[in-house]
Amino acid sequence: MNYHTRVTRLTISPPGEPIFSDQTIHIEIEDEAAGEYVKISQQCDHRDAQDQSVCINPDEWLAVKDAVESLLMTIVDWDATTKTK
C-alpha cells in the first residue's frame, strides 16, 4: 500500500515558548466528514478551561481575512494618531 504525507498543522509561538504555551497558536486542517476547514486555536492559560478556537471554511476565508486586515489597519492608524500627540 502506498502512503502519502500531508502537513495538516502549523504551530506559531514566540521564541523559547513551548508548544503548549498560552502564547502559542495552532493552525490546522480539520474534517468532520462535511468537508475540510481550517481551525485556529490557542490554549487558555487556566488548566480547567478549554482551548479557544475559530473554524473557517474555504468559502469564508477571503471575507474573514479582509475583515481582520481592515481591523488591523485601524489599530495601526490609531497607534500612529495617539503616539504623535
Side-chain angles (χ1 to χ4, degrees):
M1 178 182 294
N2 290 330
Y3 290 91
H4 66 276
T5 301
R6 181 179 180 192
V7 175
T8 59
R9 180 172 170 160
L10 299 174
T11 301
I12 303 167
S13 55
E17 288 293 323
I19 63 172
F20 57 83
S21 168
D22 64 341
Q23 296 179 45
T24 298
I25 298 169
H26 302 284
I27 305 169
E28 56 197 303
I29 297 172
E30 295 275 333
D31 189 351
E32 295 176 355
E36 293 182 344
Y37 58 92
V38 171
K39 179 174 124 180
I40 302 171
S41 61
Q42 189 172 31
Q43 290 182 312
C44 186
D45 59 354
H46 299 290
R47 179 181 282 198
D48 297 331
Q50 293 184 346
D51 290 352
Q52 303 171 47
S53 64
V54 175
C55 299
I56 304 166
N57 71 45
D59 295 335
E60 299 169 323
W61 174 243
L62 287 179
V64 171
K65 177 182 151 299
D66 289 347
V68 168
E69 287 178 345
S70 175
L71 289 176
L72 288 173
M73 287 308 300
T74 65
I75 293 171
V76 170
D77 292 344
W78 178 257
D79 285 348
T81 302
T82 58
K83 289 179 181 174
T84 59
K85 292 183 179 183

